Amino acid sequence: MRSTGRLHLGNYVGALKTWIELQEKYDCYFMLADWHALTSDYADPSNLKATIRGNLMDWLAAGIDPERSVVFLQSLIKEHAELALILGMFTPTPWCERNPSYKDQIVQLANKDLETYGFLGYPVLQAADILVYRAHVVPVGEDQLAHLEITREIARRVNFLHGGPIESGTNIPENPIFPEPEPFLSAIPKLPGFDGRKMSKSYDNAIYLTDTADQVWEKTRQMVTDPARVKRTDKGDPEKCSVYTYHKLFTPDRTEEIGSACRGATIGCIDCKKILAGSVNAILEPMRERRAALESRPGTATEILADGCDRARKEAEATMAVVRERLNLAGSVEDLAPEATNPENSH
Ligand code: SF4
């Protein structure tokens, strides 16, 4: 996850909720992606460390379990950078240029100069993030499938050239370096901001995971409802109301009941919003408790991150040892001894 700001309900339903479930089935690696944040925020990184710390606390509060999963900071595992540099040698530039989100983001973030080498190479760094752990599965939304496809193509290219002899009748090398990661597709619901506009940092219109119960109510109270319901007795259309969009995600057991009460004007918008605030707070309350417990033990989150970085680094180092060996790169000066540099001894 790019460390670009405070986490909100959209991040929870779009990513964190799935991650928490994935921990049940997989050995998971969760990365605070600070280098990726720099690809767009390089001009002003003044909030970066505070954002990372806040995101880490949010993850742990939401239920990411550091006993089961590896939680780490991208820039502290230098192997990501080394592998990205090497994968860049294998990546034709059109693969990056045709990436649909590249042009899209340049338009969306028009206030930033993103015509940079680093931003163009974003998918290569992302490939390194995935392949350095030889990941088999990556949780993505539909809109990120193209990114993962570039990772798969890069892995295939490296494997084809350096994965040993190709098995006869196939395209598959006998000894691939990287698995081709599969997508774990989950529907990413689109949550509007509480003012009805697109949820965005610049509009500051999100309910944050750190909001208090009062802040949740204050924001819920402001939510835009069906404009046809001027009076309490006016019948409404819940599909035209952002409160209802939130109910579908946060009050799933009562969605039908609320929808027909709105259509029949048997519920008022204030009561409907109170139910929603209650549902959101029911999700956030356990997070508040876990966050308070973490904050009462200063140093715990830092220790968790240090341990996660150690575990991640071991995996990344093991992968890079294989990569260096296959590419005939020296792992140390001893690798340049006369007997080691004889091409007869090389693969
Ligand atoms: Fe929206 Fe609820 Fe009011 Fe219907 S009753 S318009 S769903 S807030």
Coordinates of all heavy atoms in Angstrom, one line a residue, residues 223-227 229 236-245 247 258-259 261-263 267-273, ligand 1:
M223 N -24.0 13.7 5.2 CA -24.0 12.9 4.0 C -25.2 13.4 3.1 O -26.3 13.7 3.6 CB -24.0 11.4 4.2 CG -22.7 10.9 4.7 SD -22.7 9.2 5.1 CE -22.4 8.5 3.6
V224 N -24.9 13.3 1.8 CA -25.9 13.7 0.8 C -27.0 12.6 0.6 O -26.6 11.5 0.4 CB -25.2 14.1 -0.5 CG1 -26.3 14.6 -1.5 CG2 -24.1 15.1 -0.3
T225 N -28.3 13.0 0.8 CA -29.3 12.0 0.6 C -30.1 12.2 -0.7 O -29.8 13.2 -1.4 CB -30.3 12.1 1.8 OG1 -30.8 13.5 1.8 CG2 -29.6 11.8 3.1
D226 N -31.1 11.4 -0.9 CA -31.9 11.6 -2.1 C -32.6 13.0 -2.1 O -33.4 13.2 -1.2 CB -33.0 10.5 -2.2 CG -34.0 10.6 -3.3 OD1 -33.7 11.6 -4.2 OD2 -34.9 9.9 -3.4
P227 N -32.3 13.8 -3.0 CA -32.9 15.2 -3.0 C -34.4 15.2 -3.0 O -35.0 16.2 -2.6 CB -32.2 15.9 -4.2 CG -31.6 14.8 -5.0 CD -31.5 13.6 -4.2
R229 N -36.3 13.7 -1.1 CA -36.9 13.6 0.2 C -36.7 15.0 0.9 O -35.8 15.1 1.7 CB -36.2 12.5 1.0 CG -36.6 11.1 0.6 CD -36.5 10.1 1.7 NE -37.6 10.2 2.7 CZ -37.7 9.5 3.8 NH1 -36.7 8.7 4.1 NH2 -38.7 9.6 4.6
G236 N -38.6 8.1 -0.8 CA -37.3 8.3 -1.4 C -36.8 7.1 -2.3 O -37.5 6.1 -2.3
D237 N -35.8 7.3 -3.0 CA -35.1 6.3 -3.8 C -33.7 6.1 -3.2 O -32.8 6.9 -3.4 CB -35.1 6.7 -5.2 CG -34.4 5.6 -6.1 OD1 -33.9 4.6 -5.5 OD2 -34.3 5.8 -7.3
P238 N -33.6 5.0 -2.4 CA -32.3 4.8 -1.7 C -31.1 4.7 -2.7 O -30.0 5.0 -2.4 CB -32.5 3.5 -1.0 CG -33.6 2.8 -1.6 CD -34.5 3.9 -2.1
E239 N -31.4 4.3 -3.9 CA -30.3 4.2 -4.9 C -29.7 5.5 -5.3 O -28.6 5.6 -5.9 CB -30.7 3.4 -6.2 CG -31.1 1.9 -5.9 CD -30.1 1.1 -5.3 OE1 -28.9 1.4 -5.4 OE2 -30.4 0.0 -4.7
K240 N -30.4 6.6 -5.0 CA -29.9 7.9 -5.3 C -29.2 8.6 -4.0 O -29.0 9.8 -4.0 CB -31.0 8.8 -5.7 CG -31.6 8.5 -7.1 CD -32.7 9.5 -7.4 CE -33.3 9.1 -8.8 NZ -34.6 9.6 -9.0
C241 N -28.9 7.7 -3.0 CA -28.5 8.3 -1.8 C -27.1 7.7 -1.3 O -27.0 6.4 -1.3 CB -29.5 8.0 -0.7 SG -29.0 8.4 0.9
S242 N -26.2 8.5 -1.0 CA -24.9 7.9 -0.6 C -24.9 7.2 0.7 O -24.1 6.3 1.0 CB -23.7 8.9 -0.7 OG -24.1 10.2 -0.2
V243 N -25.9 7.6 1.6 CA -26.0 6.9 2.9 C -26.3 5.4 2.6 O -25.7 4.5 3.2 CB -27.2 7.5 3.7 CG1 -27.3 6.7 5.0 CG2 -26.9 9.0 4.0
Y244 N -27.1 5.2 1.6 CA -27.5 3.8 1.3 C -26.3 3.0 0.7 O -26.1 1.8 1.0 CB -28.7 3.8 0.3 CG -29.4 2.5 0.2 CD1 -30.0 1.9 1.3 CD2 -29.4 1.8 -1.0 CE1 -30.6 0.7 1.2 CE2 -30.0 0.5 -1.1 CZ -30.6 0.0 0.0 OH -31.3 -1.2 -0.1
T245 N -25.5 3.7 -0.1 CA -24.3 3.1 -0.6 C -23.4 2.6 0.5 O -22.9 1.5 0.5 CB -23.4 4.1 -1.5 OG1 -24.3 4.7 -2.4 CG2 -22.3 3.4 -2.2
H247 N -24.6 1.9 3.6 CA -25.3 0.9 4.3 C -25.0 -0.5 3.7 O -24.9 -1.5 4.4 CB -26.8 1.1 4.3 CG -27.3 2.0 5.4 ND1 -27.1 1.7 6.7 CD2 -28.1 3.1 5.4 CE1 -27.7 2.6 7.5 NE2 -28.3 3.5 6.8
I258 N -33.9 -1.3 5.3 CA -33.7 0.2 5.2 C -34.2 0.7 3.9 O -34.8 1.8 3.8 CB -32.2 0.6 5.5 CG1 -31.9 0.3 6.9 CG2 -31.9 2.0 5.1 CD1 -30.4 0.2 7.3
G259 N -33.9 0.0 2.8 CA -34.3 0.4 1.5 C -35.8 0.5 1.4 O -36.3 1.5 0.9
A261 N -37.9 0.9 3.9 CA -38.4 2.0 4.8 C -38.2 3.3 4.1 O -39.0 4.2 4.2 CB -37.6 1.9 6.1
C262 N -37.1 3.5 3.3 CA -36.9 4.7 2.6 C -37.9 4.9 1.5 O -38.6 6.0 1.4 CB -35.5 4.7 2.0 SG -35.1 6.1 0.9
R263 N -38.2 3.8 0.8 CA -39.2 3.9 -0.3 C -40.5 4.2 0.2 O -41.3 4.9 -0.4 CB -39.2 2.6 -1.1 CG -38.0 2.5 -2.1 CD -38.1 1.3 -3.0 NE -36.7 0.9 -3.3 CZ -36.1 -0.1 -2.6 NH1 -36.6 -0.8 -1.7 NH2 -34.8 -0.4 -3.0
I267 N -39.1 5.7 7.5 CA -37.9 6.1 8.3 C -37.4 7.5 7.8 O -37.6 7.8 6.6 CB -36.7 5.1 8.1 CG1 -35.6 5.4 9.0 CG2 -36.2 5.1 6.6 CD1 -34.5 4.3 9.0
G268 N -37.0 8.3 8.7 CA -36.4 9.6 8.4 C -34.9 9.5 8.1 O -34.3 8.6 8.5
C269 N -34.4 10.5 7.4 CA -33.0 10.4 7.0 C -32.1 10.5 8.2 O -31.0 9.9 8.2 CB -32.7 11.6 6.0 SG -33.5 11.3 4.4
I270 N -32.5 11.3 9.2 CA -31.6 11.4 10.4 C -31.5 10.0 11.1 O -30.4 9.6 11.4 CB -32.2 12.5 11.4 CG1 -32.0 13.9 10.8 CG2 -31.5 12.4 12.7 CD1 -30.5 14.3 10.7
D271 N -32.7 9.4 11.2 CA -32.6 8.0 11.9 C -31.8 7.1 11.0 O -31.0 6.2 11.6 CB -34.0 7.5 12.1 CG -34.8 8.2 13.2 OD1 -34.1 8.8 14.1 OD2 -36.0 8.3 13.2
C272 N -32.0 7.2 9.7 CA -31.2 6.3 8.8 C -29.7 6.5 9.0 O -28.9 5.6 9.0 CB -31.7 6.6 7.4 SG -31.0 5.5 6.2
K273 N -29.3 7.8 9.1 CA -27.9 8.1 9.3 C -27.4 7.7 10.6 O -26.2 7.3 10.8 CB -27.7 9.7 9.1 CG -27.9 10.1 7.7 CD -27.8 11.6 7.6 CE -27.8 12.1 6.2 NZ -27.8 13.6 6.1
Ligands
SF4_1 FE1 -31.0 8.0 2.1 FE2 -31.8 6.7 4.3 FE3 -32.8 9.1 3.7 FE4 -33.4 7.1 2.2 S1 -33.9 7.3 4.3 S2 -32.8 9.1 1.4 S3 -31.5 5.8 2.3 S4 -30.7 8.7 4.3

